Amino acid sequence: MSTPPGYRLSAATGIHRGDRAYQQDQVEILPHHRIPGCALAVLADGMGGKSGGRKAADQVILTAKQLFDRYSPNQDDPSELLKQLVLEAHLMIKLTAITAEEEPHSTVTAFLISPSRECDMIHAGDSRVYHFRGPDMVRRTIDHSFVQRLVDEGQITEDEANTHPQSNLLTGCLGTFQDPPLTLHHIDRLEIGDTMLACSDGLWHYFTPKELGAIVHTLPPREASEMLVSKARQRARGSGDNLSLALVRLDPLS
């Protein structure tokens, strides 16, 4: 992806069915068709019946493409685009549920990098966005999940949350009776060498932030993505969930 002088956006996605019979994750990185240095990454982890989850995740990606196609980085508000993405996808998934036997739900996580090097992100559910500066984590999104609530209340530790029997219970996602949470975050300026990583729980479950940071900093995005997928597969030991990731790094022009 070409960008304003001084840096370029290097990007890669990774996806694997894991040890499940069906792939219900979907991921896309969309470069803006007119404006260099602007890109939207979207990731959805679908749930509900063998095809219900996939339909829900597909709907998230479809909604993102339609909205981003009409998006003008110089005039439109990125956080409004992200909110619209969550609400419209949620509505479409609920409409699908009326006509289907299944109960389609999906997580969503998305980040939008602007030509000004600002970055906006949104999420609903337990798919995450991480922001790394070099190998160090600056921050990550906080899951909308039952175990995250227990962590927040000091009842369990982050490590215990990872192995908790109810770790897959979500307190917010798309397609449910309740409206999804609209948890936004804004980064004023990405520095050259920063990495944005979106990933589903089938991936982040197997890594500490330190490990993720080391991999995305040391390897080019394509190799980093392959390494993360293969290491998660190894660590899952035959019981891995679907997994997906989208990675964008600001690389200096050499």
Side-chain angles (χ1 to χ4, degrees):
M1 298 183 194
S2 63
T3 41
Y7 70 99
R8 60 192 287 271
L9 299 180
S10 306
T13 57
I15 193 162
H16 197 288
R17 201 176 71 192
D19 299 291
R20 298 293 164 90
Y22 308 99
Q23 174 59 274
Q24 303 194 22
D25 279 16
Q26 278 286 59
V27 62
E28 285 272 354
I29 297 174
L30 308 166
H32 197 274
H33 54 96
R34 290 189 314 277
I35 309 282
C38 179
L40 173 67
V42 191
L43 183 146
D45 175 358
M47 299 155 279
K50 66 178 184 187
S51 63
R54 180 54 188 258
K55 279 181 195 149
D58 284 346
Q59 189 58 62
V60 172
I61 302 295
L62 183 65
T63 305
K65 284 180 171 170
Q66 289 169 341
L67 290 172
F68 195 53
D69 206 41
R70 304 195 296 267
Y71 176 71
S72 170
N74 304 329
Q75 289 153 342
D76 300 335
D77 181 345
S79 63
E80 282 306 314
L81 171 88
L82 294 175
K83 280 197 276 194
Q84 215 180 340
L85 161 54
V86 171
L87 292 172
E88 285 192 22
H90 171 65
L91 184 62
M92 293 309 294
I93 293 166
K94 282 176 77 170
L95 292 174
T96 311
I98 294 166
T99 58
E101 300 289 299
E102 304 125 343
E103 287 185 37
H105 300 330
S106 182
T107 71
V108 62
T109 185
F111 62 85
L112 176 53
I113 298 176
S114 299
S116 58
R117 299 213 316 232
E118 289 174 80
C119 181
D120 290 88
M121 58 183 95
I122 198 164
H123 81 292
D126 63 354
S127 295
R128 291 180 180 175
V129 181
Y130 291 83
H131 172 205
F132 295 100
R133 181 144 291 161
D136 304 317
M137 183 175 86
V138 180
R139 71 172 299 143
R140 73 161 171 86
T141 52
I142 303 301
D143 308 333
H144 302 119
S145 67
F146 175 66
V147 292
Q148 182 64 54
R149 194 176 282 173
L150 296 181
V151 171
D152 294 345
E153 289 168 0
Q155 295 189 39
I156 59 171
T157 65
E158 288 267 355
D159 286 347
E160 288 167 335
N162 243 350
T163 53
H164 195 281
Q166 288 162 304
S167 64
N168 59 349
L169 277 185
L170 300 184
T171 54
C173 64
L174 308 190
T176 54
F177 178 68
Q178 285 175 301
D179 280 344
L182 294 172
T183 309
L184 286 153
H185 178 62
H186 176 78
I187 299 166
D188 288 334
R189 189 172 169 85
L190 293 170
E191 299 299 335
I192 292 171
D194 281 13
T195 302
M196 300 300 298
L197 171 69
C199 52
S200 64
D201 65 325
L203 187 98
W204 63 251
H205 184 82
Y206 298 104
F207 297 94
T208 64
K210 214 176 175 60
E211 290 175 314
L212 290 174
I215 292 169
V216 302
H217 175 62
T218 313
L219 297 170
R222 169 61 47 218
E223 284 86 331
S225 151
E226 286 165 4
M227 159 82 101
L228 288 168
V229 170
S230 68
K231 228 170 188 25
R233 294 294 302 125
Q234 256 172 358
R235 292 176 176 182
R237 300 187 178 178
S239 63
D241 193 359
N242 297 162
L243 57 95
S244 54
L245 69 105
L247 192 161
V248 179
R249 192 166 77 187
L250 273 72
D251 282 337
L253 290 176
S254 45

